Structures are given as C-alpha cells and as structure tokens.
C-alpha cells in the first residue's frame, strides 16, 4: 500500500510520515522545501530505519507532479502541502489562493487521471472563524476571517463538489485545532523560519534564550484568566488521526469532515505554567494589546472523530510541553545545524 504525502517534509507531514512508515505503509513524499528542510526527511529515516521515495517538486508544476504518479503505484494521498501563515495571507492573498487552491486543483486533476480517488485533506479550525459557541462541532457555522482560512474553506467546497460529481471518491477533511509538541525522539519538530507567530514556538525560543519574554496578546478576554483559550493537540496524536482517517478512506467511499483536537481548552497562562513546571525553564512574560483577528476561546467537540474514526488524542499538555522543549533543546537552531 503506497501513500503519497504532499508537504511531507513539513511539521505535521514529517510526523505523519513516521507513523505511516511504522505502520508498514510505503510512502512517496512530495515537497518543494518552501517551508521545510531536507534534513527533516533524513531524520524520518533515522527514526524509522525505513527509506522512502522523495520528489522535490511544486504542486503547481503539473509535469513534475504527473511524473510522481506515473512512476509510483499510489493508492491514496494525504495532502498537507500549503502555505499556513495567517498574517502573510493577508499581505499576499493571491499567492495564498494560487498556492493552496490551484495546487489542490492540479493534484486532484492528476489523481482523477490516474484513477486514484482516496484523499485526506489538511483543513483547519480557522474555517470556523469566530465560533458562536464552544466546543465547536463540525456542523457549526463556517466563516473564516482571513485569506488563509478562506483557502481552506474553498478547498473543502471544491472537494465536496468533486464527490458530488463522482461518488467513487473517498475524501476525509480534517480540521486541525492547535498542533504543538514534537516527536518523542527529539529529532523532528516545528522549525519556524522567522520570528514565530504561534505561541509554542515562541515559548520555545524564550526558553532557549533567543527571545527575552513572551508577549501575551491581551488579558481581558472572556476566559478563566483573561488570556486566550485554545485546543492544543500533540502533533503525534494528530499524525495518528491521519492513520485512522486513512483506514476509513481506504475502506469506503464518501466525504466526511472531522475536528482533530483534544476537546480541552487551555489559556496562554495555563500553557506557560505547564511548560515551566515540566521543563524547569523560567518563561518571563508580559502583557500587550490583543492581536487583531484573535478570538477569546476555541476548542473542539471531538465526538465525531472519537466515534467514527475510533481516534482520541492521548497526550496531555505536559507531554506537549515536554516534547516541544526536548526538540528545541536538542536542536537550538532547528534543522539548520
Ligand atoms: P508546514 O509549512 O510545516 O508544512 C507544509 C509543507 O508543504 C512544507 O514543507 C512546504 O514546503 C510544503 N509546500 C507548501 N506549498 C507547496 C507546494 N506548492 N508544493 C509543494 N510543497 C509545498 O505546515 P504544517 O504545520 O505541517 O501544516 C500542514 C498542513 O496543515 C497545511 O496545509 C496547513 O495549512 C494545515 N494546518 C496547519 C496547522 C498548524 O497549526 N500547523 C493548523 C491547521 C491546519
Ligand atoms: C493561529 C492562527 C490560526 C492558525 C493557528 C495554528 C491567527 C489570527 N490565527 O491561531 O489561523 O490555524 O495559529 O497555526 O494568527 N499568543 C500570545 N503571544 C504570542 C503568540 C500567541 O499571547 O506571541 C496567544 C494568542 O493570542 C492565542 C494563543 O496564544 O490566544 C494561541 O496563539 P497561536 O499559537 O498563534 O494560535 P491561534 O491564535 O489559535
């Protein structure tokens, strides 16, 4: 059984490649290294002791992508490749729409040509925009508030239309909440190119001494301690969710959408305190204004994934903090050693 993983050198993709290889799948990885490094792929082999095919290719390059399909007997595709920075998407929306939406269109056209109709797509809790209630269920109203989130919703709609046109497709839309943490080996993890936008990589850089303190964006939210609440999920639990979704798409046809989170919301202060407790690193912080576009709380109702996929996140906040720090400590400069 051979699985094509687009964006397999990236943060979530690399962790999922490990789970796939450990479960006995063959994998073919495609990535253009726009937001990742070849070293991540080397480490996947180091951890799993298994080799796999890799193509350095851009999804927008139809010829290069078609070569991947003509040279391999692919059974299903897990599609991670995409751009994901919310602020950047506001500055360069056309680039985001082209990369994410056109890239997916090209991928689906080639899949159709090669009669491969099993697909798992990386969507995001961002499609919910400002949730009207928490926990958020899959049938909550949708309304992303930035171009990044809209690329995800547009792709979900395209894939729904694709299924309506041809019921032989089997598609799983996975809406991730806030993935953090790293592989327990400490060899792979999240490696931001620039100043991190997201909380956990920022905390990691404070812990390692690259940044002075965490700026907490707002202390007057309607939450238990005034700071924003999110559903942080360990990236390895998330990766395992893909294997469950894969079993489902391989065995059926249809299209379905699942929230992948823990179902528990933690605040910024909860996360900092847990990180300090489990790593014994002091994390200085101060409060600044709210970040534009932020919401007070967002966490998932995961009942559907629990029941239909037979998947449940197993790791807790301390595991997430411990593994994040282990990765950062072992790789102070990420993959750029
Ligand atoms: P990432 O940036 O680490 O990984 C994405 C990978 O895709 C990178 O290796 C990048 O080089 C590659 N890529 C991008 N465009 C490409 C193209 N046109 N052709 C080939 N390769 C391309 O991101 P991630 O955190 O691993 O996220 C994976 C997916 O999950 C993305 O689609 C993202 O939008 C989605 N997602 C991520 C989060 C999160 O917080 N990390 C949350 C929700 C959804
Ligand atoms: C952000 C993105 C979202 C994306 C998600 C995961 C925005 C508006 N949203 O969401 O689309 O799906 O990342 O990649 O960018 N915080 C601080 N200080 C920091 C960083 C964050 O206080 O330096 C706070 C935020 O206000 C928030 C929480 O930490 O309350 C989590 O922030 P972050 O990790 O950026 O995730 P999201 O805001 O959920």
């Amino acid at each position: 059984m051979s699985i094509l993983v687009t964006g397999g050198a990236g943060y979530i993709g690399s962790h999922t490649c490990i789970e796939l290889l450990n479960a006995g799948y063959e994998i073919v990885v495609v990535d253009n290294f726009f937001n990742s490094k070849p070293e991540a792929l080397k480490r996947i082999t180091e951890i799993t002791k298994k080799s796999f095919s890799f193509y350095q290719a851009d999804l927008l390059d139809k010829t290069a992508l078609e070569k991947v399909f003509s040279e391999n007997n692919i059974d299903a595709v897990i599609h991670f490749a995409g751009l994901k920075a919310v602020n950047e998407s506001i500055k360069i929306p056309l680039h985001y729409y082209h990369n994410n939406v056109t890239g997916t269109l090209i991928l689906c056209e080639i899949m159709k040509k090669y009669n491969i109709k099993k697909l798992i797509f990386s969507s995001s809790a961002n499609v919910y925009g400002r949730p009207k209630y928490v926990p958020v269920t899959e049938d909550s109203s949708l309304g992303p508030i930035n171009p990044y989130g809209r690329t995800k919703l547009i792709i979900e709609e395209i894939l729904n239309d694709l299924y309506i046109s041809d019921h032989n497709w089997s598609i799983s839309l996975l809406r991730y909440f806030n993935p953090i943490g790293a592989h327990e080996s400490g060899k792979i993890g999240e490696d931001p190119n620039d100043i991190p936008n997201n909380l956990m990589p920022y905390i990691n850089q404070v812990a390692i001494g690259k940044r002075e303190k965490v700026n907490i964006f707002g202390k007057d939210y309607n939450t238990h301690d005034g700071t924003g609440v999110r559903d942080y999920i360990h990236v390895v639990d998330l990766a395992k969710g893909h294997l469950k979704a894969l079993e489902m798409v391989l065995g059926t046809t249809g299209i379905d959408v699942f929230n992948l989170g823990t179902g528990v919301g933690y605040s910024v202060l909860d996360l900092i305190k847990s990180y300090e407790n489990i790593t014994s690193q002091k994390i200085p912080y101060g409060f600044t204004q709210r970040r534009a576009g932020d919401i007070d709380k967002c966490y998932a109702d995961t009942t559907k994934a629990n029941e239909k996929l037979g998947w449940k996140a197993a790791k807790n906040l301390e595991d997430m903090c411990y593994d994040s720090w282990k990765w950062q400590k072992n790789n102070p400069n990420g993959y750029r050693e």
Side-chain angles (χ1 to χ4, degrees), residues 273-293:
K273 281 177 199 149
S274 178
Y275 193 99
E276 289 187 326
N277 284 340
I278 195 77
T279 67
S280 304
Q281 300 300 306
K282 182 91 193 104
I283 307 296
Y285 61 81
F287 292 97
T288 64
Q289 285 192 326
R290 291 181 176 199
R291 178 172 66 180

Side-chain angles (χ1 to χ4, degrees), residues 88-98 147 151:
E88 191 181 59
S89 80
I90 295 167
K91 290 184 194 126
I92 48 170
L94 298 181
H95 187 58
Y96 266 68
Y97 284 111
H98 190 46
T151 69

Side-chain angles (χ1 to χ4, degrees), residues 84-87 90 124-127 145-146 148-149 176-180 190 196-203 213-218 221 227-232 266-268 271-272 286 288-296 298:
K84 63 165 182 175
V86 171
N87 286 341
I90 295 167
S124 169
N126 210 287
V127 297
I145 52 175
N146 50 61
Y148 164 71
Y176 313 151
F177 280 67
N178 289 58
I180 59 171
E190 187 169 15
N197 291 312
N198 297 119
L199 182 59
M200 182 54 101
Y202 204 99
I203 293 177
K213 60 173 180 174
V214 176
N215 298 307
I216 300 182
F217 302 146
Y221 281 109
T227 66
V229 165
R230 296 292 184 274
D231 188 336
Y232 298 99
Y266 288 106
S267 73
V268 177
L271 188 61
I272 292 176
T288 64
Q289 285 192 326
R290 291 181 176 199
R291 178 172 66 180
D294 268 359
I295 50 179
D296 56 356
C298 181

